Structure formats: structure tokens, C-alpha cells
Amino acid sequence: MSFRIGATVLIDYNGNAIQSYGFKSKRFLGNLQKVLNFLDAYEVDEIHAIVPFKGKGSSNSSEVFLNLSNISISTPLGIGGGITEENIEEITKDPFFERCIFNSAIFSNPNLLRKTRSIMGHQAMIASIPFFIKDNTLMVYNSESDSWVKADNALWKKLKDNFNEVLLLDANAEGSKKGFDFEVFKYTEFPVNRVIASGGLTKNDINKAKKMGLAGVSIDNFTLHSEYSIAGVR
């Protein structure tokens, strides 16, 4: 499979595009359709559209995703955030969405992962793993508990068993140009050729990811704020 250059778009509960910086502060970006059309024109290979739910609750993204399916773009689209056992069939009955992206279900809902895999197939499963490294320890984010936990062997087994690809998000670099922390690969136990890097990516980072044989990258905020040539880094 060829190296893919994708883009991540965060969506609030009202269906607007937002931006996140350092996995802490968020800012309203604008009309979701305009943002998706912009990325579509940029000719990215795929778009990861995520509703960043945090904490336990009854939140689901059915309405957001159903509205999303009415936006006409040609770029393959993956969705994440607020997918439940109750809404997975509804939001995937239209083949508009090609991938499903999960975080909290990795830690607490194997039934949802099995159900999605049976509907969409293993190739459609992406794990979203925000991370940072502290004291030589890889910490990963669990959105349901809104907390950071140590990446252990059990986590890597779940990822290998359930997911085709892992989206590694450098939480400290998110939304900036400070550079992706490639030190993370000292701690990961997942095939490099099925990893997507995101957060703080520079053009040099994209070239490095390509040379390392990663599946691809997912560019965040700065794509939407500058003249940035996707073709120039292919």
C-alpha cells in the first residue's frame, strides 16, 4: 500500500469544525462543509473526522455523522467519537464512511469493536492513540475516563487483535509545527507499516515517516492556516 497523506478534522457537538492545540485548548474553526471542501480540493488521501467526546455519558454522534454524509466530497472519510453499539448500524448503512476510528472502546467495549468489525471489515478499523512520553514511559489517552494510562502489553494485544491501523497522535505537539515525537516508536508494539502519525508534523517529519515505511500521516491544524502543498511532500 502506498504512503497516504490524510488530514484530521475535529467536530463539535453542533457539527462545527474546531481545532485543538496541545490536546488542551480548542478553538472554533468554522463551517464543517467549507473545511471538508477545502481539504477535498487539497487532494488529501483521506480525512479523519472525529467528535472528541471526553468522559462517560450517553453521548453519541448519530446526527453529526448523518449530516456529514450529506456533504459531497470525493475524499475517503473515516469517522470517530460517539460511535455506540446502538448507532453503528445506522451510521454505516450508507457506504459513505470507509473507516471507523475508536479510542474509549479499546479500553472498555470489545462488543462494539466486534460488531463494527463484522459490519465494516477489519480493514476499516482504526485505533486513535493520543500519547506523550514521560520518564521513559509511554502514556496513552483513554477518553472515557478522560485520563492518561501507561501503555502495557494488554493494550498492544487489543490493538493487534482488533485494528488494521493505529493513528498515533502526539498530544504535546498537536496543532503546532513543533515536530512529531518519533521516539514513540521505541515503545510501540504494532507493525510500523500500519501506523499513521499525527500531531505537530513538519514537512521533514512527513518525509521521515515515508522513509520509515509508515502507512501514512494525518495533518492537523496548520494545513488549514497556510499555503501547504500536499503534492510537494509526496
Side-chain angles (χ1 to χ4, degrees):
M1 182 179 291
S2 60
F3 185 79
R4 310 192 310 275
I5 298 177
T8 297
V9 176
L10 300 182
I11 308 171
D12 69 13
Y13 310 141
N14 296 314
N16 298 305
I18 57 175
Q19 292 180 308
S20 178
Y21 297 86
F23 216 69
K24 296 176 183 176
S25 61
K26 289 181 170 55
R27 188 179 81 178
F28 176 79
L29 178 60
N31 179 272
L32 180 60
Q33 180 165 348
K34 289 182 179 179
V35 171
L36 293 178
N37 288 341
F38 180 82
L39 292 171
D40 197 35
Y42 251 33
E43 297 184 349
V44 295
D45 296 314
E46 60 191 12
I47 297 172
H48 306 117
I50 299 173
V51 183
F53 286 116
K54 293 183 178 181
K56 292 184 177 181
S58 58
S59 301
N60 77 64
S61 303
S62 298
E63 186 174 348
V64 173
F65 292 143
L66 291 175
N67 289 336
L68 191 60
S69 67
N70 293 321
I71 298 176
S72 179
I73 58 173
S74 59
T75 305
L77 191 63
I79 53 171
I83 299 174
T84 68
E85 290 183 69
E86 290 71 35
N87 70 18
I88 182 61
E89 292 186 22
E90 179 185 14
I91 62 180
T92 59
K93 63 184 178 183
D94 188 314
F96 183 77
F97 303 122
E98 297 193 8
R99 306 284 188 94
C100 286
I101 305 165
F102 294 96
N103 176 268
S104 63
I106 300 167
F107 301 92
S108 63
N109 198 340
N111 289 336
L112 173 58
L113 298 181
R114 281 193 292 269
K115 186 171 184 178
T116 307
R117 206 165 58 246
S118 69
I119 296 170
M120 300 285 289
H122 183 77
Q123 79 287 343
M125 303 289 287
I126 298 179
S128 173
I129 304 292
F131 75 88
F132 68 86
I133 299 168
K134 182 178 181 181
D135 299 329
N136 295 316
T137 300
L138 179 62
M139 304 298 294
V140 300
Y141 183 68
N142 178 340
S143 62
E144 183 175 80
S145 62
D146 192 17
S147 63
W148 296 90
V149 298
K150 182 180 178 181
D152 56 18
N153 292 335
L155 171 67
W156 296 114
K157 185 178 187 308
K158 289 178 184 178
L159 297 180
K160 290 175 183 175
D161 289 347
N162 291 287
F163 294 94
N164 181 48
E165 292 182 328
V166 167
L167 176 63
L168 284 177
L169 170 63
D170 185 339
N172 289 333
E174 183 194 35
S176 73
K177 296 183 183 180
K178 66 193 299 183
F180 181 85
D181 189 355
F182 284 93
E183 290 292 304
V184 67
F185 291 102
K186 292 182 178 179
Y187 305 92
T188 56
E189 299 176 19
F190 196 85
V192 171
N193 65 349
R194 293 197 280 127
V195 170
I196 302 167
S198 186
L201 291 162
T202 65
K203 290 184 179 181
N204 286 337
D205 288 338
I206 294 171
N207 289 330
K208 182 173 181 177
K210 189 174 184 179
K211 290 178 181 178
M212 287 177 60
L214 269 65
V217 295
S218 190
I219 304 166
D220 53 17
N221 298 355
F222 80 93
T223 315
L224 304 170
H225 282 299
S226 60
E227 292 297 326
Y228 188 86
S229 172
I230 298 298
V233 294
R234 289 198 185 281

